Amino acid sequence: MTMKPFDDDSASTTIGELAVENGTGAVTLSGSLEITRDKAGLKRAQALKTLADAICQELEADDLPDHVAVAAATTQAVANPFA
């Protein structure tokens, strides 16, 4: 993994089907990750551990607030292009 957690708002990576999107205020994980009992599963588990360790190191090195305000998702209606 070459992504440094919380470093920018553009980096992303994947581990199996798990998408990891970097942000300066949050790291977002979405999707699923199957860790099978084989060498491929071990590789995915190690990648997940590396990611979790990097996130924890960044958080532990900072003076963190109790909570961060999370921006509400905004939606916008658009015309149906198939209508």
Side-chain angles (χ1 to χ4, degrees), residues 55-73:
I55 291 170
C56 288
Q57 284 178 339
E58 288 297 318
L59 293 171
E60 289 167 347
D62 217 351
D63 183 25
L64 301 173
D66 290 333
H67 298 287
V68 174
V70 179

Side-chain angles (χ1 to χ4, degrees), residues 14-19 30-48:
T14 59
I15 303 170
E17 298 296 317
L18 184 68
S30 59
S32 63
L33 177 61
E34 183 174 62
I35 299 174
T36 51
R37 192 177 179 107
D38 56 13
K39 289 180 181 179
L42 174 60
K43 185 176 179 179
R44 288 188 293 270
Q46 289 169 331
L48 181 61

